[in-house]
Amino acid sequence: MTLCCGGPSKGKYMKRTVRPRWLAILCVVVLGLTGAACSSAKSTNNKAPTTLHTVMSEEADDLNPFTPTLQGKSQILSTIGMPMLYVDSTSKLTSRVLKSWTASPDAKTITLVLKPNIQWSDGKPMTSADLLMSLTDYLDAKVSVNAGRIGPVVGLDALASGKAKTISGLSAPDKSTLVIKLVNPDAAWLPRLALLGAYWPVLPSHLLGNVPRAKIATDPFFKTWPVSSGPYLLSKFVRGQYVEVTRNPKWSAGKAGFEKVIFEILSTDQMTAQLQTGEVQYVYTVDPSDVDRIKRISGVTVASHNGVAPELFGLNNGGSVFKDPRVRQAMLYAIDRAGICKTILAGHCTTPTANLRQIAPSWALPTTGLTDYNYDPAKAKQLLKDANWDPNTKLTFLARTQRSYVDKAVTAAVGQLNAAGMHFSVRNVTTAQLLDSIGKKTGWDAFWVSGADFVVDPNEWGDYLKCAGRYPDGPNTSQYCDPATDKLFEDGLKTTDQAARASLYHQAFTKLNQSPAEVYLYVVDTIVAYNSHLTGVTVSGNLSGGYWDIGQWRWKA
Amino acid sequence: MTSLTKQPTQPPTGPLPVGAELLRVEGLKVHFPIRSRVLRRTLGQVQAVDGIDLSIAAGETLGLVGESGCGKSTTGLAVLRLIEPTAGSVALRGQELTTMGKTDLRSARRDMQIVLQDPYSSLNPRMTVRGIISEPLEVHGLHTGAGRRKKVDELLALVGLEASHAGRFPHEFSGGQRQRIAIARALALDPQLLVLDEPMSALDVSIQAQIVNLLKRLQRELSLAYLLISHDLSVVRHVCDRLAVMYLGRIVETGRTDDVYNRPTHPYTQALLSAVPQPDPTKRGARRRIILEGDVPSPDHPPAGCRFHTRCWRAQELCREESPALIDRFDHGHPSACHFAALADAATVPSADAESNSEPPEPE
Amino acid sequence: MLGFVLRRLIIAIPVLLGILVIAFVFVHLLPGDPVRLLVDPSQLSGAGSTQYLAQKRIELGLDKPLPVQWVLWMREVLTGNLGFSFQQRVPVLQLIQERVGSTVLLTATAVVLAVVVAIPVGVLASLKQNSVLDYLAGATSMLAISIPVFFLGLLAIYVFALQLNVLPSGGRQTLGVPPTLSDTVQHLIMPAAVLAAVLTGPYVRYVRQSMLDVLRQDYITTAVAKGASPFRVVLRHALRNALIPLTTVLAVQIPALLAGTVVIETVFAWPGLGLLVFQSIEGLDYPVILSVVMMSAVLVQLCNLVADVLAAVLDPRIRL
Ligand SMILES: Nc1ncnc2c1ncn2[C@@H]1O[C@H](COP(=O)(O)OP(=O)(O)OP(=O)(O)O)[C@@H](O)[C@H]1O
Ligand code: SF4
Ligand SMILES: [Mg+2]
């Protein structure tokens, strides 16, 4: 069981956009050197534009909620559709569709209640039948790629084996209520639904109810989205170029601020240039290394929010190299993580000093008894010595060319590890090679990766470290396995009582603080830039954060 | 045939009577600047042609002979102002060419044409034979449509080609045929002077003879004057009325062909003629072959005094200091530029009758 | 000529088949599993995703033995669909159709621009050999060749979009409004001009060298001797012959040129084939990679054929 994706850092392994590094570097040179002249964002005219031009960091290669998901797609889907639940900028669960969402104290029954008067763009009311059909489709692993990422619902087995056509654990007692019976207690079920919400907009059963489930994923509906429920409606999808949406006059939550919104994919330098010329008015996201340059354009506002996930070095815990926790601790002391954050990321980041991937919610994190791994090369060397580290051990670091600040951070960190006596040689690989290598479990020792969302529910981290989730079955690419920790995470799901859960997670995180699974380098801020005439933008660190409140955006002359 | 080709395109002034002076060249110099690669500063001059006098009468053939690089082609091109002369005067029918404006010069070109050595390079590969031959007519606005076609057909017939060849491209012809095309083109404007720059030397020996005979016939029929550039002394002797021998940009001896051949006075001419093969075995032993020593000096730094002194077996102190004038020292009517000019012994040079009429006849 | 073309086309078939076999083997030798690349590891969920991926593997035909896969791919080629993109889940033909127009528009404009500039400049440079103009032309083309194209692109964006604000920074059209010709032209100018600038340098040198070669020919001398005007000598005699090798160079270069537009497309956010190629290699999208390889191979063959035919049409000395 896992959870994904997004966060400030654009997908974990795969990011289907091209921002060649040299472009960014050169942009710094050309535009940076002449930065003084980078005058102001030219707003085309004083009149409020009817079309808003925005830049996404990642492409949406289709708008089908059943196919593998990239962040770009989720952002468009949460603009044209309404997620059942989503996460706001303060990491709280919220909804524009549901009046209430509750879990029973034993965490086995979930109840969702629709708000009254939610309607589809064709004027039909949204009912619990829509929720029922949508969830049935989304939970079917044969049609929906993300089905397995949420705790199992009663009756799913029968659906999978073909014995049943519906999921018995889903029921709609009345027009506005959906009841979900879970197989196992799962206190994280609702947070998980919220994180998947952007990929799982409610679907109109009056249009799709008769489509056989085997065919739903290829239904032409998803090419055009003729009916939806979000602030904007899909009007044009040009693959690899842009998506155009038009104001939904029947949006239940009010009136969106623009007649049209365009979503584009642009390289860093194009994005900067077009922000300055006024050709685009909103950019999600800005790399920390570009912030200063963009800040200098007057008439452009740069806003940021703490990120939701650290970027990290995955370690091959399956082998013998990192068996001794002191070796992993030594790595944390050896790398000047605060320095990297300050110099390479220009401070647009936070440092997870206790090396916890989970960075919120605060109730779940222990406040005492944690070791802070501050830069201390002497201590690193001592720990290696204590662990009888053989300085002749040859280590392989799998590197992929990334955005410039990542490459710089990786180079710096690997250099500091070498200085401490851990001799990594860097091998440049493609994503395909990386997955191939970590799938084989040998031939590598560490690699860089980013992403996911570790602020909503503490269970999120657990999914990345479970013995059962070791890659290639699950997302545990570091091959970490400690049954005792697994048990703590499992127990944490069995009750909705926050105090009871907190004590379990405190134990788990303390264990992970002492026996680090991976090296968490820094948490990049989520940074957006927009024309200062644009109001109502609230930056969220979360996955669909770029556009989660797009219905509220307005143009102020 | 003569009338056919002549009548429609009478040049404005009409042909000169045979024997009247057609071309007069005085003090012609062509110096090519030598420039440094980068700064384009002039470092020196290649004195390719350095002050020569020539004259050609209507209907006459003047042969220009000399070793490779002595400036023969440069002279030919400069005479037609295809290269700008550095100094001197070139007068065609009394009209000064060197100072002539561009438009006048272009119409003056009707009277003088050129045939070059390499028939593979002298015909535009992308033009048909008809295009090549009719272009001069087109350029000068002579004839139209059918008239031009007819003229081309006549010219082809004149040089011994068939009218059906007109649609073909140059690469479809042999070297000799191409040279005929080149000659037809040169004749299209009914010129009075043809500069022939080694027109045979790129061809097989048998073909050479055909071209020689063609040229001789054309001269007879059309009263053409030729400036024939060649280093084939046997051909020159066979074809030319008069001869000018060049060495390093200057004329060293000139006169009627027989006079020069029989009584060469300049050591260089003597050396040249001694190298001509003696076809008559009975006379072979009698002739002394003069072998010149050393290389031809470079024309960018020609020797002071007599330019030949570095290789002359007769050279004296004077030769190194003073440049000899081209004067007729023996009243033979053929001047030479040598301080110590001496009439050669007739036995040292090949006799005239040994060479004549040795070419096969031109096929019709 | 027709016989030649037919013969060449027939010879091209085994060549293309060979290339396709090699390319097919080669893409399968690329490290990595395309199915694993379909889902980000962070989205894996044990049994559920294992089931999903297994099903994808079957749907994409990747469970079959390689020779069978090759035959299936060939069938796709012959039906003209070129297979189904793993990553983008649409027929490859559609993907290519969506983008090829932009790339062709950009490349063709750039080539035309480059040729229109290069011919007069090259001709003048050859006529005034070693003159100031000649040196200037030489130096400019050296400069254009040695400046990285993305730098030139960024510079153009900086000057014309950011400072002067006269041209859009990138893209192919103003989004959100109906496309107009003038809008497309405005978007096209900068990328086409930058690409043309890069091409012009070598073209000027080809034209100049080719002209110098031709001007040395005796038929130029004889043309002058005929009394032809300088204009006529240069255009009818020299240029017409000098352009023959240039035409061949142009035709043969076209495939490389299309490949070379990738950088320009990226710099100017020009929605062409470049990005598609890049992404398909990243994502081990075999059908897309193979289609692109195949298209390139076809293009190379075709361009060579066109070059030969053109040479024969232009140069009467060449017979096919
Ligand atoms: N365009 C030019 N620039 C510089 N030097 C030149 C040029 N043309 C000819 N020359 C030089 O002038 C000299 C005379 O050349 P020219 O071609 O007139 O000799 P030639 O007597 O015709 O020789 P050949 O019998 O080999 O044809 C040579 O030294 C040659 O290198
Ligand atoms: S002048 Fe002197 S060097 Fe010159 S040819 Fe006569 S003898 Fe020889
Ligand atoms: Mg010559």
Side-chain angles (χ1 to χ4, degrees), chain A residues 246-430:
Chain A
T246 313
R247 183 192 283 137
N248 175 5
K250 295 218 162 87
W251 186 39
S252 323
K255 183 176 182 250
F258 295 89
E259 239 162 62
K260 278 181 189 169
V261 181
I262 308 280
F263 300 87
E264 279 184 79
I265 304 290
L266 291 177
S267 65
T268 310
D269 46 327
Q270 271 292 330
M271 173 190 96
T272 316
Q274 299 205 12
L275 203 55
Q276 191 176 333
T277 58
E279 286 164 275
V280 302
Q281 295 94 35
Y282 178 87
V283 167
Y284 178 90
T285 59
V286 174
D287 277 357
S289 43
D290 296 330
V291 170
D292 291 346
R293 180 153 49 94
I294 290 174
K295 267 193 176 150
R296 254 182 271 146
I297 309 172
S298 71
V300 168
T301 303
V302 176
S304 65
H305 189 284
N306 286 345
V308 296
E311 300 191 3
L312 58 120
F313 283 178
L315 303 178
N316 190 349
N317 288 298
S320 57
V321 176
F322 300 116
K323 268 244 146 56
D324 193 326
R326 284 172 296 187
V327 173
R328 284 170 271 142
Q329 290 169 355
M331 293 177 81
L332 293 165
Y333 284 118
I335 302 172
D336 182 7
R337 295 180 294 158
I340 288 173
C341 174
K342 198 170 151 209
T343 56
I344 296 174
L345 281 81
H348 303 291
C349 46
T350 49
T351 307
T353 41
N355 200 49
L356 293 185
R357 193 173 199 171
Q358 193 73 42
I359 46 189
S362 54
W363 60 263
L365 299 173
T367 45
T368 53
L370 294 182
T371 304
D372 277 340
Y373 295 98
N374 291 313
Y375 181 48
D376 190 345
K379 197 156 188 179
K381 285 184 187 147
Q382 186 57 47
L383 281 164
L384 287 174
K385 209 168 151 200
D386 296 349
N388 290 322
W389 176 257
D390 175 2
N392 294 322
T393 313
K394 289 204 167 14
L395 299 166
T396 303
F397 188 94
L398 303 178
R400 288 176 299 157
T401 297
Q402 296 285 333
R403 282 148 299 155
S404 62
Y405 75 87
V406 175
D407 292 347
K408 280 186 208 149
V410 167
T411 309
V414 168
Q416 288 162 355
L417 288 172
N418 281 334
M422 298 186 75
H423 297 292
F424 278 97
S425 57
V426 174
R427 188 154 73 86
N428 285 305
V429 292
T430 62

Side-chain angles (χ1 to χ4, degrees), chain B residues 30 32-34 46-49 66-75 83 117 197-198 229 231 246 298-300:
Chain B
V30 182
F32 298 108
I34 307 169
V46 180
Q47 304 181 1
V49 177
E67 278 167 302
S68 180
C70 71
K72 304 182 297 294
S73 298
T74 308
T75 305
I83 293 179
Q117 173 176 6
D197 190 352
E198 311 201 31
I229 295 168
H231 47 229
M246 268 186 95
S298 154
D300 40 339

Side-chain angles (χ1 to χ4, degrees), chain B residues 154-210:
Chain B
E154 285 168 10
L155 286 164
L156 284 173
L158 189 63
V159 297
L161 291 172
E162 283 163 38
S164 63
H165 290 162
R168 298 198 194 158
F169 287 95
H171 70 275
E172 295 170 80
F173 295 92
S174 70
Q177 285 174 313
R178 287 193 209 196
Q179 205 55 301
R180 287 169 194 267
I181 296 166
I183 292 168
R185 169 192 54 199
L187 293 177
L189 293 171
D190 301 311
Q192 298 192 35
L193 172 68
L194 282 194
V195 172
L196 307 166
D197 190 352
E198 311 201 31
M200 286 83 67
S201 62
L203 308 174
D204 288 351
V205 181
S206 59
I207 311 291
Q208 283 185 10
Q210 293 173 12

Side-chain angles (χ1 to χ4, degrees), chain B residues 252 265-268 305-316 318-320 322-324 329 337-341:
Chain B
V252 294
T265 62
H266 194 281
Y268 178 64
C306 174
R307 289 191 166 184
F308 188 53
H309 80 243
T310 52
R311 302 164 81 197
C312 180
W313 66 94
R314 235 187 267 155
Q316 315 259 325
L318 177 65
C319 309
R320 272 178 275 277
E322 204 173 300
S323 178
R329 292 186 172 76
C338 172
H339 295 303
F340 306 103

Side-chain angles (χ1 to χ4, degrees), chain B residues 254-273:
Chain B
T254 178
R256 288 181 33 74
T257 308
D258 284 345
D259 290 347
V260 175
Y261 267 73
N262 295 332
R263 313 306 302 270
T265 62
H266 194 281
Y268 178 64
T269 318
Q270 291 166 357
L272 272 189
L273 292 175

Side-chain angles (χ1 to χ4, degrees), chain B residues 119-145:
Chain B
Y120 290 83
S121 149
S122 67
L123 302 174
N124 186 337
R126 283 189 70 181
M127 291 173 85
T128 59
V129 168
R130 181 175 304 286
I132 290 168
I133 299 177
S134 65
E135 197 191 21
L137 305 172
E138 200 183 313
V139 165
H140 290 274
L142 303 176
H143 308 278
T144 47

